[in-house]
Amino acid sequence: MKFCKKCLTTDLRPNSHFEDGVCIACKFSEKEKSVTSSIKLKILQNKIQENIKKRGNRGNYDCIVGVSGGKDSTRQAHWVRDRLGLRPLLICGAYPPKQMTDIGADNLSNLVEMGFDLMLVTPAPQTASQLALESFKKFGNVNKSTEMSLFATVPRVAIDLKINMIFWGENPALQVGDSAVEGVDEFDGNSLRNLNTLTEGGIDWIEDVLGDKRYLQEHYIYPNQIEFEKSKIDIFYLGPAWDDWSNDSNSTYASLQGLTMRPGEENLTGDITNASMLDEEFTNINMMLKYYKFGFGRTTDNINERIRQGKISREEGIEVVKKYDGVCDDYIISNFCKYVGISENEFWDIANRWVNQDIFEIRDGERPRRKFEVGVDFES
Ligand SMILES: [Zn+2]
């Protein structure tokens, strides 16, 4: 396992790509500094105009903004309406009631209060929990089916409503270094369908779980390229067009706009920003599993961003990562077990199958233990 020389990403990340020992996210952030965000904003505005021309008639909405009850949504919605001067419809592929937190529901209400039109699409709860358990067993990802439905819902509704411009916030290729989703340029989100979580394992397993309720599968399946082309769908990322797009500044902005955060909970959730996964808690389990699979988790991703912005040194980052990466409190795991109907022992039996034993040691009655030093290349 190798670490990026500049940040703390490892080469075990799916679709990772290193050049001269440096990851693509770090490479991009160097290039980034040479082009100012005002030029990028113009590029984005030109793309928007092209899209509007292509469409001809304008309906009630210019575009769709995919939102959740999280922090980035507030900022994206305001940006699209107030800076880009567009009329957005917000679409939320929502969590089932048992999974969504009160904070998430409050934050969605807050968006409506701020004058936005919001459409919620929620999957059938029983099948959602069955699929969550199958996702965990089959992929070591408790939210794979949930993520599939969140990503698929937005373009699916866009096609149904004939609104052909969609905005997402961050470009995963740049933010975390998933090279499979790299588009024509940094604004282009039409390759989002190649995201690891959407492609890995195909879709047959969903059909298997749903059985005679197969008609429900549409909720989980991302529209294909032909459907996109027929409806002339463009997905654009907003992140590149503004210079202070980051987890930290989005949290600050969102809390000024009335978003509820989770201060002081990093010891429970492992989330050092106190602002991600406000809308549901099971993703914290995934962040822990990711850590056991790849040797890094969400803390590393957050710290990498701060290293690239020059806010923290790699050395300082290592200390924070050691403390919080992989943290996920027992109460979250116990809630998930209740949701999908398994015991906590069964949970750990399944979880331990996903631990990379080259880099972690599994011990009875304990959580897996790290064998490597954070930031130091490791051979098992
Ligand atoms: Zn890097």
Side-chain angles (χ1 to χ4, degrees):
M1 177 172 77
K2 284 197 162 50
F3 283 87
C4 168
K5 281 185 205 159
K6 301 217 160 168
C7 70
L8 298 169
T9 289
T10 76
D11 61 354
L12 298 183
R13 182 195 292 279
N15 302 323
S16 78
H17 179 68
F18 281 36
E19 265 174 52
D20 307 323
V22 178
C23 73
I24 57 166
C26 284
K27 285 259 177 205
F28 259 108
S29 75
E30 281 171 6
K31 270 195 232 161
E32 196 87 339
K33 284 165 196 146
S34 59
V35 187
T36 66
S37 54
S38 65
I39 295 173
K40 290 193 178 175
L41 179 57
K42 283 222 176 76
I43 301 173
L44 179 60
Q45 279 167 331
N46 286 339
K47 286 175 178 288
I48 291 169
Q49 287 313 315
E50 275 167 36
N51 174 287
I52 289 174
K53 260 189 238 157
K54 188 160 75 176
R55 176 179 8 156
N57 283 349
R58 292 176 86 179
N60 286 325
Y61 301 104
D62 293 314
C63 60
I64 284 172
V65 179
V67 298
S68 66
K71 67 183 164 24
D72 296 348
S73 304
T74 311
R75 197 150 193 220
Q76 282 159 230
H78 277 102
W79 226 75
V80 167
R81 185 182 67 183
D82 303 336
R83 288 289 298 275
L84 298 176
L86 297 170
R87 298 164 302 169
L89 169 65
L90 312 189
I91 293 185
C92 177
Y95 298 105
K98 276 187 184 162
Q99 188 172 358
M100 182 180 273
T101 61
D102 291 347
I103 296 177
D106 286 348
N107 288 338
L108 285 172
S109 308
N110 194 41
L111 280 171
V112 178
E113 298 258 342
M114 287 186 291
F116 292 100
D117 288 357
L118 170 72
M119 189 183 263
L120 280 179
V121 184
T122 309
Q126 285 78 7
T127 46
S129 90
Q130 282 166 2
L131 285 167
L133 179 58
E134 190 62 16
S135 296
F136 179 36
K137 286 184 184 163
K138 208 169 160 67
F139 301 98
N141 174 347
V142 298
N143 271 346
K144 183 176 163 70
S145 50
T146 313
E147 287 162 3
M148 290 173 79
S149 94
L150 295 183
F151 279 111
T153 295
V154 174
R156 198 163 53 78
V157 175
I159 291 169
D160 286 349
L161 297 180
K162 300 188 168 51
I163 304 173
N164 69 337
M165 184 159 42
I166 299 170
F167 290 101
W168 284 108
E170 63 187 31
N171 179 340
L174 311 189
Q175 190 120 15
V176 300
D178 185 339
S179 63
V181 291
E182 263 185 283
V184 177
D185 59 36
E186 59 195 323
F187 295 102
D188 177 17
N190 280 24
S191 314
L192 198 60
R193 69 164 57 76
N194 300 330
L195 204 62
N196 187 260
T197 194
L198 300 180
T199 55
E200 185 195 18
I203 49 174
D204 292 350
W205 65 279
I206 292 193
E207 242 183 56
D208 294 345
V209 172
L210 294 177
D212 58 353
K213 289 196 188 127
R214 206 167 287 175
Y215 57 91
L216 289 172
Q217 73 174 3
E218 202 195 345
H219 200 94
Y220 296 90
I221 296 170
Y222 201 88
N224 65 35
Q225 201 153 352
I226 295 164
E227 292 173 273
F228 260 58
E229 280 164 16
K230 251 200 226 154
S231 305
K232 299 179 181 164
I233 300 282
D234 283 326
I235 300 185
F236 297 125
Y237 297 116
L238 293 167
W242 76 85
D243 49 4
D244 63 341
W245 174 276
S246 71
N247 278 317
D248 289 340
S249 68
N250 289 3
S251 313
T252 311
Y253 180 85
S255 59
L256 290 170
Q257 295 289 342
L259 191 89
T260 306
M261 301 288 187
R262 312 187 54 163
E265 294 195 3
E266 58 270 31
N267 288 319
L268 305 175
T269 62
D271 174 21
I272 56 169
T273 69
N274 296 135
S276 50
M277 305 334 297
L278 301 169
D279 42 356
E280 71 94 51
E281 296 200 308
F282 301 156
T283 299
N284 297 306
I285 298 174
N286 266 2
M287 297 296 131
M288 173 187 81
L289 293 170
K290 170 172 157 180
Y291 175 66
Y292 293 142
K293 288 178 193 172
F294 306 127
F296 71 90
R298 174 175 47 199
T299 308
T300 300
D301 281 333
N302 288 327
I303 287 296
N304 288 345
E305 202 177 71
R306 293 181 193 178
I307 292 174
R308 288 179 206 127
Q309 290 162 348
K311 285 185 183 160
I312 187 172
S313 71
R314 193 173 184 274
E315 295 312 304
E316 289 165 326
I318 287 173
E319 292 312 308
V320 184
V321 166
K322 275 190 195 161
K323 199 162 167 199
Y324 295 113
D325 229 355
V327 168
C328 176
D329 196 82
D330 284 337
Y331 91 85
I332 298 171
I333 292 169
S334 138
N335 282 345
F336 175 74
C337 291
K338 279 182 212 141
Y339 177 62
V340 300
I342 57 172
S343 71
E344 283 168 52
N345 280 338
E346 283 172 275
F347 174 91
W348 282 107
D349 281 345
I350 300 167
N352 282 341
R353 281 186 234 148
W354 292 97
V355 174
N356 181 338
Q357 295 197 46
D358 291 337
I359 53 174
F360 287 93
E361 190 187 334
I362 293 181
R363 299 185 170 201
D364 260 359
E366 273 180 46
R367 297 227 181 160
R369 199 178 284 191
R370 167 166 64 80
K371 294 182 191 168
F372 58 95
E373 280 297 321
V374 177
V376 181
D377 291 351
F378 177 76
E379 253 177 78
S380 53

